[in-house]
């Protein structure tokens, strides 16, 4: 059976959803900030602004003891206490204005005067009067991470900050400082933007592999010594075949994520999820080159030609495939095409659908009491029907677990053939659609049920059929549920200000890089290493 051919399609990914605030990072070194108010809240803002290097002029007739204390021992920039009420002329030349007022009228007047003077303003606990907001902070300066929920759920921001604090080692601060100090030497060592990017990627891999070690001059020498290799590689393309797993982005390997984040071009299949694609480098070109059973499909020879041609242009090409490239992914043909063209090729394995399905079912595909082997077969032949060259006797082995890919249309015919080969009709079977995705569906049946045309999930999506005694043990498992499990976690922590290179703020309106998505609240997480390559891009 032939399918309608289609050409590869360049796509534009929807990388940015609407943002409540635009996260920015203010450089405040030796710049003047006006702070009005003498409360404990004002004291915290004074400490934060000083930590970012600002010179803070505080106007308060009755400053709280905490404010006096932080002014006497500021973390970085000078804090000057003025024991009087503020006046409009105090705002002249200020970079920012921050106020903490008890009365709404006074707060509104302060905001209006600041805007009239051309100064962006924040009024504590009065979001309607604010041009920007302060978020929760994870401080590994010069790596600074700011978190905002647009005032909707401060406790959510604090809980998320606590989680990030736990996973971002304090040693990363030293590597970010090294990146800032070494940047001129590394930039001068390479002749092209692509070569410098390769050196910074090497630096990042070095940092992430040795977070608990302090960087040293030997590390800088090693990076500079690698510059000629980076220059040579900059003009030489390569292809990386990457397994995207069955759907969920958190099932990707670390190597797969690194490949996506260094790609110039991503050639991806129809079954690759949007969440996985969003992990690609922002500047990467994305092209849909997928195949659909019984639907329009790109011809394999066209995919090979495009992939090799882009690599010969010096591009780093990621061929992104659902599941594992080596399991019914046509990887062999693409590897052969690269080798024939003299293009370097690498393969990054992924979790195949059968592994994702077994995990969802709490099943061991090779349970020692039920299965001596596991076998993967395709249920989709060249003519669209059941392949004629399958070893049906082997597939009817009672001591095997059989996983049938692309077998939705042929499951009934296959089951009838297996029964004819001697496999009991009562043998357990499971059919799963959209494995490891939010819309995952599971149908439990038997070989006899499949033979009679029953037991397949409703709705569209890739379907995997699995047969074997190993699935009998999972039939009554209460922990196995359709779809992804929802986990709730709560945490809180306290933070003490230490010097930071920039103050993270959030402006209205705009767009920015984001990391955490929640149905209850929109929390934007922005991570930036100040003018360094040790930069993390969380997602909203």
């Amino acid at each position: 059976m032939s399918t309608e051919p289609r050409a590869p399609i360049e796509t534009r990914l929807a990388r940015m959803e609407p943002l409540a605030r635009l996260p920015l990072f203010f450089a405040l070194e030796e710049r003047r900030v006006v702070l009005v108010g003498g409360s404990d809240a004002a004291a915290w803002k004074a400490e934060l602004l000083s930590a970012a290097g600002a010179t803070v002029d505080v106007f308060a007739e009755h400053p709280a003891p905490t404010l006096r204390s932080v002014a006497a021992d500021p973390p970085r920039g000078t804090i000057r206490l003025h024991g009087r009420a503020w006046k409009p002329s105090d705002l002249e030349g200020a970079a920012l204005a921050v106020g903490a007022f008890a009365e709404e009228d006074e707060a509104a007047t302060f905001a209006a005067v600041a805007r009239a003077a051309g100064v962006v303003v924040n009024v504590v606990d009065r979001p309607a009067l604010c041009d920007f907001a302060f978020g929760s902070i994870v401080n590994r300066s010069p790596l600074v991470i700011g978190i905002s929920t647009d005032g909707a759920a401060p406790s959510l921001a604090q809980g998320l900050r606590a989680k990030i604090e736990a996973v971002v080692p304090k040693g990363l601060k030293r590597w970010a400082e090294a990146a800032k100090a070494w940047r001129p030497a590394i930039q001068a060592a390479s002749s092209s933007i692509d070569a410098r990017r390769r050196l910074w990627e090497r630096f990042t891999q070095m940092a992430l592999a040795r977070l608990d070690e302090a960087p040293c001059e030997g590390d800088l020498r090693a990076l500079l010594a690698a510059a000629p290799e980076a220059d040579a590689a900059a003009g030489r393309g390569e292809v990386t075949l990457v397994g995207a797993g069955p759907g969920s982005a958190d099932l990707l390997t670390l190597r797969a994520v690194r490949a996506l984040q260094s790609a110039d071009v991503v050639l991806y299949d129809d079954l690759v999820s949007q969440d996985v694609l969003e992990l690609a480098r922002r500047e990467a070109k994305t092209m849909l080159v997928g195949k659909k059973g019984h639907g329009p499909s790109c011809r394999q020879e066209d995919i090979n030609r495009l992939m090799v041609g882009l690599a010969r242009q010096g591009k780093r090409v990621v061929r992104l495939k659902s599941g594992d490239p080596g399991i019914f992914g046509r990887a062999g043909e693409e590897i052969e095409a690269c080798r024939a063209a003299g293009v370097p090729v690498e393969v990054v394995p992924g979790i195949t659908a059968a592994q994702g399905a077994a995990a969802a079912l709490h099943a061991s595909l090779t349970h020692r009491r039920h299965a001596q082997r596991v076998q993967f077969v395709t249920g989709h032949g060249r003519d669209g029907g059941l392949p004629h060259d399958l070893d049906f006797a082997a597939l009817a082995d009672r001591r095997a677990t059989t996983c049938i890919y692309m077998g939705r249309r042929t499951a009934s015919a296959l089951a009838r053939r297996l029964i004819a080969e001697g496999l009991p009709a009562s043998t357990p079977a499971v059919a799963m659609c959209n494995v490891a995705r939010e819309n995952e569906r599971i149908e439990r049946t038997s070989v006899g049920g499949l033979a009679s045309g029953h037991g397949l999930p409703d709705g569209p999506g890739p379907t995997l059929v699995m047969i074997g005694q190993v699935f009998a043990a999972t039939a009554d498992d209460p922990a196995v549920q359709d779809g992804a499990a929802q986990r709730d976690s709560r945490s809180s922590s306290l933070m003490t200000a230490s010097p930071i290179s920039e103050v993270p703020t959030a402006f209205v309106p705009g767009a920015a890089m984001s990391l955490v998505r929640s149905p209850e609240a929109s929390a934007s997480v922005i991570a930036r290493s100040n003018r360094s390559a040790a930069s993390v891009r969380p997602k909203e």
Side-chain angles (χ1 to χ4, degrees), residues 215-229:
C216 62
E217 288 301 313
D219 296 320
L220 175 59
R221 288 193 296 270
L223 287 169
L224 297 180
E229 178 186 342

Side-chain angles (χ1 to χ4, degrees), residues 281-356:
R281 191 167 68 95
R282 285 177 300 149
E283 297 83 358
K285 178 188 292 187
T286 55
M287 300 186 73
L288 174 62
V289 296
K291 300 179 176 66
K292 283 187 174 181
H294 312 283
S297 299
C298 292
R299 297 186 304 173
Q300 187 61 50
E301 53 267 35
D302 291 339
I303 298 173
N304 294 349
R305 190 179 303 112
L306 175 64
M307 179 180 64
V308 168
L310 289 167
R312 282 178 165 171
Q313 295 173 24
K315 306 294 186 183
R316 285 195 277 186
V317 181
V318 164
R319 178 69 175 95
L320 190 61
K321 297 171 171 288
S322 178
D324 180 88
I327 306 294
F328 303 117
R330 308 285 292 269
E333 297 161 67
E334 294 176 359
I335 292 170
E336 290 170 2
C338 290
R339 287 176 174 168
V343 172
V345 61
E346 179 187 1
V347 179
V348 177
I351 292 177
T352 189
Q355 293 172 302

Side-chain angles (χ1 to χ4, degrees), residues 187-225:
Q187 296 296 95
S190 298
S191 59
S192 70
I193 293 175
D194 185 60
R196 287 193 289 271
R197 178 157 61 90
R198 289 173 185 264
L199 284 182
W200 283 118
E201 288 170 359
R202 186 179 293 233
F203 169 89
T204 301
Q205 292 175 14
M206 186 185 297
L208 295 178
R210 296 166 45 206
L211 288 172
D212 294 329
E213 300 178 27
C216 62
E217 288 301 313
D219 296 320
L220 175 59
R221 288 193 296 270
L223 287 169
L224 297 180

Side-chain angles (χ1 to χ4, degrees), residues 32 34-38 57-62 82-92 97-117 119 121 123:
R32 180 170 170 267
V34 170
L35 174 61
V36 176
D57 280 325
V58 182
F59 297 91
E61 295 179 272
H62 305 289
H82 304 271
R84 61 172 176 82
W86 71 281
K87 53 187 179 182
S89 60
D90 295 327
L91 293 164
E92 295 177 4
V98 180
F101 298 96
E103 301 298 329
E104 176 73 24
D105 290 346
E106 190 175 5
T109 299
F110 176 76
V113 171
R115 292 192 184 99
V119 182
V121 62
V123 181

Side-chain angles (χ1 to χ4, degrees), residues 84-270:
R84 61 172 176 82
W86 71 281
K87 53 187 179 182
S89 60
D90 295 327
L91 293 164
E92 295 177 4
L96 297 175
V98 180
F101 298 96
E103 301 298 329
E104 176 73 24
D105 290 346
E106 190 175 5
T109 299
F110 176 76
V113 171
R115 292 192 184 99
V119 182
V120 291
V121 62
N122 171 276
V123 181
V124 177
D125 291 335
R126 301 184 191 276
L129 298 176
C130 293
D131 295 323
F132 68 93
F134 291 92
S136 295
I137 297 172
V138 177
N139 186 7
R140 304 288 187 271
S141 188
L143 175 66
V144 180
I145 302 173
I147 308 164
S148 170
T149 63
D150 193 27
S155 61
L156 176 61
Q158 293 166 8
L160 182 56
R161 181 182 67 80
K163 284 189 173 295
I164 296 174
E165 286 275 11
V167 299
V168 178
K170 295 189 181 298
L172 198 58
K173 170 185 174 69
R174 296 175 296 190
W175 285 94
E177 290 172 340
K180 187 175 181 180
W182 297 351
R183 189 171 188 82
I186 292 176
Q187 296 296 95
S190 298
S191 59
S192 70
I193 293 175
D194 185 60
R196 287 193 289 271
R197 178 157 61 90
R198 289 173 185 264
L199 284 182
W200 283 118
E201 288 170 359
R202 186 179 293 233
F203 169 89
T204 301
Q205 292 175 14
M206 186 185 297
L208 295 178
R210 296 166 45 206
L211 288 172
D212 294 329
E213 300 178 27
C216 62
E217 288 301 313
D219 296 320
L220 175 59
R221 288 193 296 270
L223 287 169
L224 297 180
E229 178 186 342
D231 283 332
R236 185 179 68 242
E238 60 190 41
V239 171
T240 305
L241 275 58
V242 174
S248 180
D250 58 8
L251 292 178
L252 285 173
T253 65
L254 293 176
R255 183 176 293 184
V257 173
R258 286 199 297 267
L260 284 169
Q261 292 179 346
S262 63
D264 296 312
V265 183
V266 178
L267 308 179
Y268 67 96
D269 289 340
D270 285 272

